Amino acid sequence: MTAPTVTQIPGFRGDPITPDHPGYDDARAVWNGTVDRRPRLIARCRGTADVAAAVRFARARDLEIAVRGGGHNVAGTAVCDDGIVIDLSAMRAVSVDPVERIAQVQGGALWGDVDHETQAHGLATTGGIVSHTGVGGVGLGGGIGWLMRKHGLTVDNLVEAEVVTAEGDIIRASADDHPDLFWALRGGGGNFGVVSSFRFALHPIGPIVMAGPVFWAAGDTADVLRFYRDFAAEAPDELGTIVRLGTIPPLPGVGEDMQFRPAIAVASCYAGPVEAGERAVRALRHFGAPLVDLVGPTPYVDHQSGIDDTVPHGWHYYWKATNLTGLSDAVIDIVAEHAYGATSPRSYAAMFHMGGAVARASRGATAYPGRDVDHNIVIDAVWLPDQDDTVGAAETAWARRFLDALESHRAGVYVNFLDSDDDTSRVHEAYGDANYRRLVEVKAKYDPENLFRNNKNIPPATPAS
Ligand SMILES: Cc1cc2nc3c(=O)[nH]c(=O)nc-3n(C[C@H](O)[C@H](O)[C@H](O)COP(=O)(O)OP(=O)(O)OC[C@H]3O[C@@H](n4cnc5c(N)ncnc54)[C@H](O)[C@@H]3O)c2cc1C
């Protein structure tokens, strides 16, 4: 079959990128450099009408569809072999209504775009902690970030979505409009349609916040985690913290002698006045003998992009993840034993402290169910594209071993942290029985033929099932 061209997509005014286009290889590359798929056509949309045209075109021709937001999903679901990529990467506009405290965000925007525009008004919403991550995938899967304990997950801040359905229709989903779809979009990922535009609630933040990481030597890990367990349990909702276990990245302010030393970090961000933030992190900064302390008053936008360079596009990545039943001594011992077992100095694990506003909603309030877990962990194997296959094999084996060791302490998983080998086997685990059942029903209503299946797929209910 010859590659379709724009003239064959009625009503499409975007950029069609076919294998003979000079930009094809760049356009099919995603964040994870291990992903190497060759779509027949990348339909780079300029607006909602293009998205609808591309969906109708793909449907009529029975083409496999992938939807690209920021292209960051570790499993590479934003791109497919042989089919069509509905590429939203040129749809990144963000506009802010500072009076209503609402941001209107196009479906291909990155978190850096949202933070840039909202912080111009001293506002923000909960988003990903790396600025080159996409709003689309984060905002439909859950959205954990620095502000979540105070202001909820990204999905908790979604007030309306413009959705292109599997039929190619353009509809709105909100609490009043298609409420079943609105429920499913808040955690169910890209299963139900293409979201061409989001409306998010905003909150006053910064623009200067008390934020940054403190690092201790890897040998102190168990002690730091035991201290952290109590510190986090008593932290105010304003204080978001993330533990990072690996080596000290070459961040500004880290001396050469410290770079790539094995270390545990607790990074924080206080969503309130700087003085209150200073008080909230004082005990943490005084615990034990830190190697490096980078906490200080920081522009929120800088904090949101502070670790961007530690996870650049094109490196090779493999993830394993789980929610944790708690930070028991047994969990702490397992984490301390496995966290530094990777051979690559770029591999690491990150543990997010949940709770606060996240936990004040019920498991069924949105499709994202993980309201009742205090901590989750993502184990990130990272190696360089020019390293030979044995390095990648060793790193992925480390991540799997680490997760296996946590087996009896698992309590579900965040869907957006699943990798490709979890695609089908762990999706049900990510939602739990009740939410999964409800998602299957909504899927059957809005996408009964499973047109949108290159994702963490929820197959629709069929009469047989
Ligand atoms: C470096 C890095 C940092 C991260 N940090 C965080 C974090 O702080 N918090 C957090 O919660 N998660 C985080 N994640 C995980 C993140 O939530 C997922 O990787 C997410 O899928 C990324 O969204 P994306 O739009 O960039 O991805 P894509 O790969 O473009 O999309 C993933 C899937 O989402 C769907 N999708 C995307 N956009 C749309 C849309 N507009 N309409 C319909 N479907 C769409 C599609 O099914 C697509 O296959 C991080 C990931 C990376 C790589």
Side-chain angles (χ1 to χ4, degrees), residues 87-112:
D87 178 358
L88 309 180
S89 65
M91 293 171 56
R92 291 173 52 182
V94 177
S95 65
V96 175
D97 179 338
V99 177
E100 296 295 324
R101 291 187 177 161
I102 291 286
Q104 183 84 42
V105 179
Q106 277 192 306
L110 308 181
W111 282 106

Side-chain angles (χ1 to χ4, degrees), residues 30-32 51 65-79 86 88 106-111 126-146 148 153-154 162-164 185 188-198 242 304 307-308 310-312 317 319 348 352 368 380 414-418 452-456:
V30 289
W31 171 80
N32 186 350
V51 176
I65 294 179
V67 177
R68 181 190 182 109
H72 267 52
N73 195 279
V74 68
T77 52
V79 64
I86 298 180
L88 309 180
Q106 277 192 306
L110 308 181
W111 282 106
T126 308
I129 63 164
V130 168
S131 77
H132 48 73
T133 311
V135 173
V138 173
L140 295 170
I144 64 181
W146 296 113
M148 67 182 161
L153 301 163
T154 309
E162 180 184 70
V163 185
V164 177
L185 289 175
N191 274 285
F192 309 95
V194 186
V195 176
S196 41
S197 183
F198 298 86
I242 301 172
Q304 278 285 88
I307 57 165
D308 281 9
T310 66
V311 281
Y317 300 95
W319 289 7
Y348 64 96
F352 292 77
Y368 175 94
D380 298 1
Y414 175 30
V415 72
N416 275 358
F417 287 166
L418 293 179
F452 300 114
R453 57 180 173 268
N454 278 296
N455 44 38
K456 298 295 163 349

Side-chain angles (χ1 to χ4, degrees), residues 6 14 19 28 36 73-74 82 102 116 167 231 249 271 279 300 355 378 395:
V6 71
R28 72 185 179 87
D36 179 21
N73 195 279
V74 68
D82 203 34
I102 291 286
H116 178 69
E167 298 289 338
F231 174 80
R279 285 193 297 277
Y300 176 73
V378 57
E395 294 310 286

Side-chain angles (χ1 to χ4, degrees), residues 100-244:
E100 296 295 324
R101 291 187 177 161
I102 291 286
Q104 183 84 42
V105 179
Q106 277 192 306
L110 308 181
W111 282 106
D113 302 326
V114 176
D115 292 333
H116 178 69
E117 293 297 336
T118 57
Q119 277 288 278
H121 302 276
L123 299 169
T125 198
T126 308
I129 63 164
V130 168
S131 77
H132 48 73
T133 311
V135 173
V138 173
L140 295 170
I144 64 181
W146 296 113
L147 308 181
M148 67 182 161
R149 289 170 42 76
K150 176 74 177 162
H151 297 298
L153 301 163
T154 309
V155 295
D156 298 330
N157 287 286
L158 181 64
V159 291
E160 189 179 272
E162 180 184 70
V163 185
V164 177
T165 67
E167 298 289 338
D169 295 331
I170 302 167
I171 63 173
R172 287 186 180 273
S174 68
D176 302 321
D177 218 345
H178 302 93
D180 52 352
L181 176 61
F182 185 56
W183 177 85
L185 289 175
R186 288 174 293 155
N191 274 285
F192 309 95
V194 186
V195 176
S196 41
S197 183
F198 298 86
R199 278 169 73 80
F200 291 113
L202 301 174
H203 314 277
I205 295 292
I208 303 293
V209 290
M210 194 70 181
V214 183
F215 293 88
W216 295 263
D220 295 342
T221 295
D223 290 342
V224 171
L225 286 178
R226 284 189 178 89
F227 166 81
Y228 173 75
R229 169 176 57 198
D230 301 335
F231 174 80
E234 284 168 20
D237 289 354
E238 284 79 4
L239 189 64
T241 54
I242 301 172
V243 177
R244 186 185 190 280

Side-chain angles (χ1 to χ4, degrees), residues 23-32 35 37 42 68 71 79 313:
Y24 177 74
D25 282 333
D26 282 345
R28 72 185 179 87
V30 289
W31 171 80
N32 186 350
V35 176
R37 302 202 184 110
I42 298 166
R68 181 190 182 109
V79 64
H313 291 83

